[in-house]
Amino acid sequence: MGYSKEYTAWSYWDPQHYLKNYFSTLKRDEEETIKFLVKHLELVYKFFGKIVPILEFGCGPVLIHGVAAAPYASELYFADYLQVNLEAIKQWYDQHADSFKWHEFTKKILETEGSTNINLQEIIERENKLRKISTHFLVPSSLPSSTM
């Protein structure tokens, strides 16, 4: 039993709808993801002994992995199959008024790293660090777009 291309085409994907439905509040699964990222990014940093370029492959329209990686990355490359997901990230990057707000998630990342009494300025500083190191927004060219 196959699915109709009409209902599975990525051309119907709406990143803003996805973010609104799954990231409007910080949920337990994302808290666990944040704990995992903070712990393991620190281990990677200790292994290399320096900050390194990081590829966020399959990022979707989601920034929390990049926010967590920012202290450990010399550059951050966002890569996703869908240009529309990268456009949502670029809206945030360019600080468009209607872009998704990640402050709650950034605050949780800072808390998980051990910061206390986090204020808005610290949140903005971390997000601006991510903006500074986000150098590329890539759609992999080797994926067969015509089959989706």
Side-chain angles (χ1 to χ4, degrees):
M1 176 178 187
Y3 292 95
S4 166
K5 199 172 190 179
E6 177 181 344
Y7 296 108
T8 58
W10 285 107
S11 62
Y12 295 102
W13 176 254
D14 179 358
Q16 296 305 322
H17 179 76
Y18 173 77
L19 292 171
K20 180 181 176 184
N21 282 312
Y22 294 102
F23 291 90
S24 59
T25 61
L26 181 59
K27 296 179 176 77
R28 181 76 179 144
D29 64 329
E30 288 306 324
E31 287 183 27
E32 293 302 317
T33 299
I34 288 168
K35 287 179 192 176
F36 176 87
L37 287 170
V38 167
K39 177 182 176 182
H40 289 89
L41 285 165
E42 185 175 329
L43 290 173
V44 168
Y45 172 73
K46 287 179 181 177
F47 177 80
F48 286 107
K50 62 181 181 176
I51 59 173
V52 295
I54 294 177
L55 170 64
E56 167 64 280
F57 187 81
C59 58
V62 179
L63 289 173
I64 59 170
H65 307 135
V67 173
Y72 308 107
S74 55
E75 294 179 273
L76 200 129
Y77 298 78
F78 287 98
D80 196 81
Y81 176 73
L82 298 178
Q83 182 67 38
V84 69
N85 283 337
L86 296 172
E87 289 169 7
I89 290 175
K90 286 181 192 174
Q91 281 186 336
W92 172 86
Y93 178 89
D94 292 335
Q95 301 184 32
H96 288 209
D98 59 346
S99 67
F100 194 81
K101 307 301 182 252
W102 291 101
H103 289 354
E104 179 183 8
F105 294 85
T106 302
K107 181 179 180 184
K108 184 62 178 178
I109 289 166
L110 294 170
E111 288 172 352
T112 303
E113 292 172 345
S115 296
T116 57
N117 301 321
I118 299 160
N119 60 42
L120 182 58
Q121 183 60 36
E122 291 171 286
I123 292 168
I124 291 170
E125 285 174 9
R126 172 57 72 84
E127 292 182 357
N128 284 339
K129 164 82 171 151
L130 176 60
R131 285 184 180 94
K132 182 178 177 184
I133 64 169
S134 298
T135 58
H136 294 83
F137 305 90
L138 310 166
V139 174
S141 61
S142 63
L143 295 175
S145 61
S146 64
T147 61
M148 290 304 220

